[in-house]
Amino acid sequence: MTHVTEHPLVRGGRSAALATACVRGGVAAGLGLGALAVLVIAAWISSPYPDSGAGGALHLAAGLWLLAHGADLVRTDTLSGLPAPLGVVPMLLVALPVWLVHRAARDTLDAGDEGDRPRPSTSAAVAAVAGGYLLVAAATVAYSESGPLPADLTTAGLWLPAVVVGAAGAGAWTALGRPMPGQRQAAAALRAMGLGLVTLLGGGAVAAAVSLALHARQAQAAYTGLVGEWSGSVSVLLLALALLPNMAVWGAAYGLGPGFTLGTGATATPLGLAGDPAVPPFPLLAALPAEGRGTWIHWAVVAVPLAAAVLQGRRVGRSAGTWTARDTALTALGAAWGCGAAVAVLAAAAGGPLGTGRLAAFGPVWWQAGAATVLWGACVGVPVSLGVRAWGRRALRPMRKQKQKQKQKPVPVPVVAGAESGAMGAMDAPSPSPSPALSTAPAVLKGLLSGLVPAPGAVPPPAPSASGAGQTQPHDSGTAPEPAPARVGSDAGSGPGADLDPDGDRYGDPYGGRYTDPYDDSGFEPYDYLPAAWEPASPPPPAPPAPSAD
């Protein structure tokens, strides 16, 4: 009988997992390219004046897909005949490719649907997904070279791998559960950086929306001048929607202080619009500030980076409860640098050239926007973080003092249950210092036994007479009557005053004096009420005086 040995590749080994990851990356690239191709071909079919065939539409789709990854395009069909660059990336188009790569890397490392197939390592999965994606991207770059919008090889070789590897790394991080750095300062800096970035971009979007609403008539006029048929209206509207994230970044850069350029020699800042702007007709560009000095409405945009820096510093300060001031300041400064780096990347993607000459520079300058973000975080975020930390430590001081007081309080010593009268008497009234004879258990036993066994040479008490039990014999008038000694046992209850002690206790004192069975038990023993060695002992009460013969 022949045994068939399965090959590791057949069983689904690590090599098969890497091949599957590479295929996932290629499929993600094909899906993004196909989605854009469908939109472009639909617009070409609905256009009443198609200037080119289906090949031109496919070349245009390939160019837009490469532009969504940050690669600059080169327009060859210009009026002057000279090629003109196109580097402004519609940032909404970036969302689709990034999400596809992110999902491919996440599914590669997610073993929920893979059964017992071994998973590749994190770095191998990221490299495999990115490699499969970049293979399709390289073929697309080669295909676009024969069209009207070829890709610039320099920017394609720089931005395409960076975007793909970054998205794949984010997908792997998500598959691993989004772990944060083990050091608390680094994790707090990343969270504060994210909060500051979101606040900055959200405020920039609000500022751009308010400005666009104030210039609604100019925007409508620009839109009407561009569109013709309904297909043109849809195309301009889709392009405007794709550029909305760019407007948010522009608004954030405007509030930071450096502003943005409107062609070479023209800059828009909160202080005003300087120079002669070269603005092409487009609805979103109607929201740009007018020429001249800025007013209080323009200056109010400065509240956006101020709020972002305050929230960023507050987040660090709330996390720095037990840190030193130096660690808190360094963490806030690290958050400021991280936020500045992110803003610089977004500013570089949101701006770029729109042509040659005066349109060679359009949008925010990346290094100026990043440096302004770092300055806001260092000048505002660091002091705020230190102030929040100091306030939090001030609020914790009363709680710490209260805990220290509670620790310094003496621990109550448990008391062993003893006789009712003796325990209550020791708790109610302050007892004098115990005598050395009663401070230990052997001394107490010795005292109790001395009452049971008479000492040598002691005179026994007289027996009670038949006429009156418990009465003492009369003595001579010249001598004082001697008190009858106390008796222990069942006879202790006989005689006057045997049932009450000087404190009014019916059962007597457990540390001396008469003992009476409090429970009417014939087997009662006084040893059941022996005190512990550490219990305070009260002195025995004086014996009651004997009744006089008179």
Side-chain angles (χ1 to χ4, degrees):
M1 183 175 181
T2 305
H3 296 278
V4 179
T5 304
E6 294 184 353
H7 194 270
L9 289 178
V10 177
R11 292 180 300 183
R14 195 173 301 274
S15 300
L18 291 177
T20 303
C22 187
V23 172
R24 286 181 187 270
V27 170
L31 288 175
L33 183 58
L36 279 179
V38 168
L39 289 177
V40 172
I41 290 177
W44 170 73
I45 292 174
S46 60
S47 175
Y49 308 105
D51 297 333
S52 58
L58 291 177
H59 280 89
L60 179 60
L64 289 178
W65 187 77
L66 294 174
L67 183 64
H69 293 80
D72 291 349
L73 302 181
V74 180
R75 293 188 295 116
T76 56
D77 53 347
T78 58
L79 296 177
S80 61
L82 298 176
L86 177 62
V88 177
V89 180
M91 298 184 68
L92 192 60
L93 293 179
V94 182
L96 180 62
V98 166
W99 178 73
L100 290 172
V101 179
H102 177 277
R103 191 186 67 170
R106 182 197 63 192
D107 294 344
T108 300
L109 291 176
D110 189 6
D113 57 346
E114 296 294 337
D116 56 350
R117 177 177 296 179
R119 292 189 307 170
S121 61
T122 304
S123 58
V126 171
V129 172
Y133 196 97
L134 290 177
L135 287 177
V136 179
T140 306
V141 170
Y143 176 75
S144 68
E145 291 295 326
S146 59
L149 289 174
D152 181 54
L153 298 181
T154 303
T155 55
L158 177 65
W159 286 104
L160 253 173
V163 171
V164 173
V165 173
W173 180 61
T174 303
L176 296 178
R178 298 183 179 90
M180 298 299 291
Q183 191 176 6
R184 294 183 58 188
Q185 286 83 357
L190 287 177
R191 294 188 181 96
M193 181 199 75
L195 179 61
L197 184 62
V198 170
T199 305
L200 194 61
L201 295 179
V206 171
V210 170
S211 180
L212 187 61
L214 294 176
H215 300 84
R217 292 183 178 180
Q218 293 86 338
Q220 184 178 3
Y223 180 77
T224 306
L226 285 177
V227 302
E229 299 293 334
W230 70 271
S231 59
S233 302
V234 173
S235 300
V236 174
L237 182 60
L238 290 177
L239 183 59
L241 290 176
L243 289 171
L244 286 179
N246 297 58
M247 293 297 296
V249 178
W250 286 30
Y254 184 78
L256 285 170
F260 46 84
T261 59
L262 299 174
T264 56
T267 306
T269 62
L271 299 177
L273 180 59
D276 184 17
V279 181
F282 195 75
L284 294 182
L285 296 180
L288 297 175
E291 298 182 14
R293 299 185 62 181
T295 61
W296 66 270
I297 299 179
H298 303 90
W299 300 338
V301 187
V302 182
V304 173
L306 179 62
V310 168
L311 291 178
Q312 185 172 288
R314 179 175 176 269
R315 184 63 180 268
V316 174
R318 293 185 63 181
S319 303
T322 57
W323 303 348
T324 62
R326 179 176 177 272
D327 292 340
T328 305
L330 290 178
T331 303
L333 193 60
W337 275 98
C339 189
V343 169
V345 172
L346 293 176
L354 284 178
T356 57
R358 297 187 60 189
L359 291 177
F362 205 82
V365 182
W366 65 271
W367 65 269
Q368 293 180 0
T373 305
V374 174
L375 287 178
W376 277 100
C379 298
V380 178
V382 173
V384 168
S385 64
L386 292 175
V388 172
R389 169 188 171 273
W391 181 263
R393 292 170 68 89
R394 176 179 176 274
L396 291 176
R397 285 174 187 171
M399 299 178 63
R400 292 178 180 175
K401 291 182 179 179
Q402 185 177 3
K403 290 181 179 179
Q404 291 178 359
K405 290 181 179 179
Q406 292 178 356
K407 291 180 180 180
Q408 293 176 358
K409 287 184 178 180
V411 180
V413 180
V415 179
V416 179
E420 295 179 3
S421 62
M424 294 301 297
M427 293 174 62
D428 296 339
S431 60
S433 59
S435 59
L438 298 177
S439 59
T440 58
V444 175
L445 293 175
K446 182 178 180 181
L448 292 174
L449 291 175
S450 63
L452 296 175
V453 181
V459 180
S465 61
S467 59
Q471 296 182 359
T472 58
Q473 297 294 330
H475 296 266
D476 295 337
S477 59
T479 61
E482 296 182 0
R487 288 177 295 173
V488 180
S490 60
D491 297 333
S494 62
D499 294 339
L500 295 175
D501 63 357
D503 296 333
D505 191 0
R506 181 176 181 273
Y507 307 117
D509 193 344
Y511 297 105
R514 299 176 177 85
Y515 284 87
T516 306
D517 178 15
Y519 305 105
D520 296 329
D521 186 8
S522 59
F524 168 76
E525 292 293 338
Y527 299 98
D528 296 338
Y529 294 89
L530 290 178
W534 42 263
E535 268 190 286
S538 60
S548 61
D550 299 336

